[in-house]
Structure formats: C-alpha cells, structure tokens
Amino acid sequence: MSAPIDMPKWADTVLVPAISVVAAFLIAGLVVLSIGENPLTATRYLLQGSLGSGEGLGFTLFYATDFIFVGLAVAVAYHAGLFNIGGEGQATLAGLGIALALNNLTFLPGFLLVPVGILAAAAFGAAWAAVPGYLQARRGSHIVITTIMFNWLASVLIVYLLVNVLREPQSMNPETRAFPDASYIPFMHEAFAWFGVTIPASQLNLTLVLALVSAYLIWLLVYRSRLGYAIRVVGSSPTAAVYAGISPERIIIIAMVLSGALAGGLAVNELMGYQHRLLLEFTSGYGFVGIAVALMGRAHPVGIVLASLLFGILYQGGAELAFEQPNITRDMVVVIGGIIILFAGALDGLFRRLVAHLLSRPKLAGM
C-alpha cells in the first residue's frame, strides 16, 4: 500500500486541479490538432465566447450557478462517505415543488413568493434525497444504486405530471402555466439597472448570489461546526464515529437531506431565474456535471466555485467554438470536458504526487 501524500491544503485544493486542467487542455489540444484545426485558435474562440464579452460572461456565470449548487450537493454527501449521483432527480423534484408552490399559493403577498419558491425547491429536493439516505442508513442499500433509480423515477414522474396533470390546458407543450410575475428572480442586468449601471442582458440572475452564499455557508457547516465535524468523521471512519458517540445512521440521513436541498438550487436558477415555468428536461444533465465539479474541487466550496466557472466556460465557450469552427462540434467539447474529468479524477494521484514532490524539494535542499 502506498504512503499517504502530505501537502498543504491550498495546494491540494487549488494547485493540483489547476495542473490537471492544464494537462487536460494540452491533451485536448492534440485532439483538436488531429482533426486539422489550430488548437490556439480554438482556445481563443473558447475564451472569447465565454469571457470576451459581457453577454458571454453572463451566460458563463449562469451555467456556473447551476454547477455550484449541484457540486455542493455532491460534496456534502461526499464528506459523509456517500456518492450521491442523484442530483439530477433531486433537482427535478425541486422544480416540481417550485411549480406546485408558486402556481397554487398565488394568494400570498408578492414579496413572499420568491422565498416560498426557494424553500419549496429545497424541501422537495431534500425529501427526494432523504429516501435513498434512509435506505442506506437503515437498510444497507447502496446509495449509488438507489440514487440512480430515483433519477429515473423522477424523470418518469415529471413526464406523467406535465403531460396529464399540470400541463396548461390551452398548450400542447408539456409545461405548466407561467409562474406569477412576483416570483421571478430578477436578472442581473435588471438588478444593476436599479443602481444606474448598464450591463449586457443575459440569463444570469441573482441566484448567483444565493449560490455563492450557499458555498460560504457550506464551508462554515463542514469545517466550522459540530455537525460538519460529525459528517467528516462518519465519512472517514464510521467505526470511529460510533466510538465518539456519533450515530452514522443519523448523519447519513442528514447529509443526504442537505445534499438534496442544495441540488434544488439548480431548479431555482433555471425555473425562477430564467424559464419561469416548469418544463421537461430543464436540468439538461447538469446534475451529472456536478459530480465532476465536486471531484475537481476536492469537495471544498472554494474549489467547487472555481471548477464551476471552468465548466461554465466550457459550456458557453463551446457553443461559440462550434459556431466559429464547425469541425469542432459540441460533441468535441464534451470530449474536452471528459478529458478534464479523466485528468482530475482517474489521474489525480499522479498529479498529487508530482505537486507533493515539487513542494518538498526546498525542504530537502535546506537539510
């Protein structure tokens, strides 16, 4: 068995993923070169499309908002030793909660609709995640299997409801009627306009602020609270947790409930911040991207925010890249993302050892 790798926390959280990304882009450049395109030109289009304009940056941050929420959801469960891959289904049920709350509680004062929608998303996402958590804690069912099953159940359930129960009678599209205007989370360009500042219009909305606040609160929870300590102890050693008087069963359920509530933030961003109605497949696979985001970010909120920005750049810049260079299709962008995941996941140990060796050299020189 290999010896544990010791390095500063900042190096493990920031430096190792950064080196992994650079190496992944070098390999991706070879892939682009192999199809007869210039990797430097492709990189320029990728960055210009995502960061080179106010509108592009807005769309990049909009995607990053989704990834922050699902990345945090995976991370909380990961700290408890759980691999929650059910973010897609949990976000779907969160969307259902938003639709049921906003379209049936229209008698509430307008200023209450936004917090009610957010709470409904968190509650439905948490409830959908609580069942696999309970089955893992009390029945020994594997969390990966149950969350996969619940993803499919959520998909089938939302199709049935939107086609047969919740669909607007006058519409042929499987979607609900529009939410009340008072429940819309303001777009970022609208919020800036309140202060006399003009920025390009995009899908970006104030849910980004909620995502960043959530990242900070999760940092406080995991690293600065008794509950967070209990979660990390259970994730490291359930046996040690029992000796310390911590109930692994209770912590597993709590961690999954928190994870599902965070996944609900994706629904808040997409539905209350942009679509303003419940429709099919609004999650667009972002729940699965959250797994890569959490792994690349080392399950740390700061790393997750940075990894979310990277994947936001890939999603937005990839669309511009496919338009400017048709030979590089969206599928090629998916391949680039897959290479990044490969280097950040499967080859993680290689880069960690390399960084640990480089950081230890000054110490050796001074001996």
Side-chain angles (χ1 to χ4, degrees):
M1 185 175 179
S2 60
I5 303 172
D6 186 24
M7 70 174 69
K9 186 67 176 177
W10 67 266
D12 192 31
T13 305
V14 178
L15 189 56
V16 174
I19 293 176
S20 301
V21 169
V22 171
F25 270 102
L26 290 175
I27 299 300
L30 295 178
V31 174
V32 172
L33 191 62
S34 69
I35 63 174
E37 296 289 347
N38 188 329
L40 295 179
T41 303
T43 302
R44 178 166 59 85
Y45 283 132
L46 184 73
L47 295 178
Q48 283 183 346
S50 57
L51 304 175
S53 67
E55 182 182 12
L57 178 60
F59 278 91
T60 296
L61 294 177
F62 174 79
Y63 293 128
T65 302
D66 287 335
F67 300 146
I68 290 172
F69 280 119
V70 289
L72 291 173
V74 174
V76 170
Y78 184 81
H79 281 294
L82 307 169
F83 197 47
N84 175 23
I85 59 174
E88 195 81 0
Q90 292 148 23
T92 298
L93 263 291
L96 176 62
I98 290 173
L100 292 176
L102 296 183
N103 283 337
N104 291 284
L105 299 177
T106 53
F107 57 86
L108 291 176
F111 69 90
L112 289 179
L113 290 179
V114 169
V116 164
I118 294 172
L119 290 175
F124 272 66
W128 198 249
V131 180
Y134 173 84
L135 294 175
Q136 167 84 19
R138 301 293 172 83
R139 294 292 182 265
S141 302
H142 201 289
I143 200 72
V144 171
I145 302 300
T146 53
T147 50
I148 289 175
M149 292 172 60
F150 270 60
N151 281 339
W152 285 106
L153 288 173
S155 177
V156 172
L157 176 63
I158 205 67
V159 169
Y160 172 80
L161 291 176
L162 284 179
V163 171
N164 298 287
V165 181
L166 300 176
R167 179 171 58 86
E168 181 71 12
Q170 291 78 22
S171 173
M172 294 299 293
N173 296 324
E175 59 187 32
T176 64
R177 67 179 186 270
F179 301 151
D181 292 349
S183 68
Y184 296 179
I185 294 178
F187 288 110
M188 197 66 77
H189 60 270
E190 296 173 341
F192 271 77
W194 299 339
F195 302 98
V197 179
T198 301
I199 63 173
S202 68
Q203 295 173 192
L204 180 64
N205 57 80
L206 289 178
T207 310
L208 173 62
V209 178
L210 179 62
L212 295 176
V213 170
S214 298
Y216 175 68
L217 293 177
I218 292 301
W219 176 79
L220 289 178
L221 171 71
V222 173
Y223 297 103
R224 293 294 186 271
S225 72
R226 293 181 62 182
L227 175 59
Y229 176 76
I231 288 174
R232 287 184 288 127
V233 170
V234 170
S236 299
S237 174
T239 304
V242 172
Y243 276 103
I246 300 170
S247 169
E249 294 181 355
R250 172 176 168 270
I251 293 301
I252 286 172
I253 295 174
I254 290 175
M256 284 301 296
V257 166
L258 290 173
S259 182
L262 287 165
L266 190 162
V268 173
N269 186 47
E270 290 286 338
L271 301 184
M272 295 178 65
Y274 173 53
Q275 301 287 357
H276 302 143
R277 56 176 51 82
L278 176 62
L279 66 166
L280 288 178
E281 298 181 354
F282 70 88
T283 55
S284 302
Y286 299 151
F288 298 113
V289 177
I291 300 171
V293 168
L295 292 175
M296 179 171 289
R298 298 296 184 274
H300 191 285
V302 174
I304 287 170
V305 170
L306 295 175
S308 298
L309 180 60
L310 172 64
F311 277 91
I313 290 171
L314 286 175
Y315 266 67
Q316 172 57 25
E320 183 73 18
L321 179 59
F323 177 78
E324 296 290 347
Q325 292 186 294
N327 287 340
I328 304 178
T329 63
R330 290 302 299 266
D331 292 334
M332 285 290 296
V333 179
V334 173
V335 169
I336 294 172
I339 293 173
I340 292 175
I341 295 171
L342 172 67
F343 275 71
L347 301 179
D348 171 72
L350 172 65
F351 295 109
R352 293 184 79 243
R353 292 187 180 280
L354 174 63
V355 171
H357 175 70
L358 293 175
L359 292 178
S360 65
R361 290 184 64 183
K363 298 178 182 179
L364 294 175
M367 291 178 62

